[in-house]
Amino acid sequence: MSVVTEEIKASASEVYYGNEMCQAKSKFLLTEMGLPNGLLPLQDMEECGYVKETGFVWLKQKKKTDHTFEKIGKLTSYGNEVTAVIEKGKIKKLTGVKTKELLMWIKLSDIYVDDPPTGKITFKTPTGLYRTFPVSAFEIEGDKEAPGEVKEV
C-alpha cells in the first residue's frame, strides 16, 4: 500500500513522471537542500513529488534497488517507494531505506549534514544509533549542473 495518497499528490508543489525527469529533479532537490546529490541512487523511477509547504518528498521506482557506496563499502537497499521530509541540510522521517550492518538490515530514519559544514554526513536509525561518513562518499562527480541548464563548452 502506498503512503502517497491522491490527497498528497493534489497538494504537491511538483510531481514528475519518468526516470530521466525524476533523476534530474531528485538530484537537484538534494543539491538545493545542501545534501549530496548521490544520496538516493534509485533506478527506473516512475514518479517523484515534492510538497513544498511541508517538505514531504516521495520517489517511486519499479522495483527495490540495492546500491553499494564504493568509497565507504556500505550496501544500502531502497524500496519501491521512498518517502521523507526534507529541509536544509536534513532528511527526516525517512522510509523505504535500509543499510546493512554486519549481518542485519537496519532501517534509516534521519540523515543530516553538519552545520557549519565539516564535510561529514550522519545517518540515524529509529533506535537512535548513528554512523558518520564523509559527504564526498555520496557525491556524484561531474553532475553539478541543475536540470534544464546547458553546460558551456
Side-chain angles (χ1 to χ4, degrees):
M1 182 77 185
S2 177
V3 173
V4 182
T5 63
E6 290 303 318
E7 186 177 318
I8 291 173
K9 284 184 187 181
S11 68
S13 312
E14 303 173 29
V15 179
Y16 300 99
Y17 300 94
N19 185 55
E20 189 175 318
M21 182 60 80
C22 289
Q23 292 286 347
K25 292 298 183 177
S26 64
K27 288 175 187 167
F28 178 72
L29 181 60
L30 286 168
T31 303
E32 285 289 297
M33 293 296 174
L35 295 161
N37 61 357
L39 203 53
L40 299 169
L42 278 62
Q43 299 175 357
D44 292 328
M45 280 198 273
E46 298 177 306
E47 178 182 303
C48 65
Y50 177 50
V51 181
K52 194 170 190 168
E53 295 78 37
T54 62
F56 183 76
V57 175
W58 74 90
L59 305 163
K60 290 184 181 181
Q61 57 183 353
K62 290 180 183 175
K63 61 181 182 178
K64 87 175 199 74
T65 302
D66 291 342
H67 177 80
T68 300
F69 290 98
E70 298 295 336
K71 292 180 182 177
I72 57 171
K74 282 289 168 197
L75 179 62
T76 306
S77 178
Y78 298 89
N80 292 31
E81 184 175 273
V82 175
T83 66
V85 174
I86 191 167
E87 58 187 55
K88 202 69 165 163
K90 295 179 186 174
I91 294 177
K92 302 184 297 186
K93 299 180 182 177
L94 181 64
T95 67
V97 182
K98 297 184 278 188
T99 187
K100 194 147 193 183
E101 283 292 328
L102 298 174
L103 300 173
M104 296 178 6
W105 284 101
I106 300 172
K107 291 181 183 180
L108 295 177
S109 61
D110 296 89
I111 302 170
Y112 59 90
V113 293
D114 291 340
D115 185 25
T118 61
K120 300 288 184 186
I121 186 166
T122 301
F123 298 81
K124 284 180 61 178
T125 69
T127 60
L129 298 173
Y130 66 92
R131 295 277 309 258
T132 302
F133 299 101
V135 170
S136 60
F138 304 94
E139 288 287 351
I140 299 173
E141 301 302 321
D143 197 14
K144 301 291 185 196
E145 77 278 353
E149 288 186 354
V150 178
K151 284 186 184 178
E152 290 186 36
V153 184

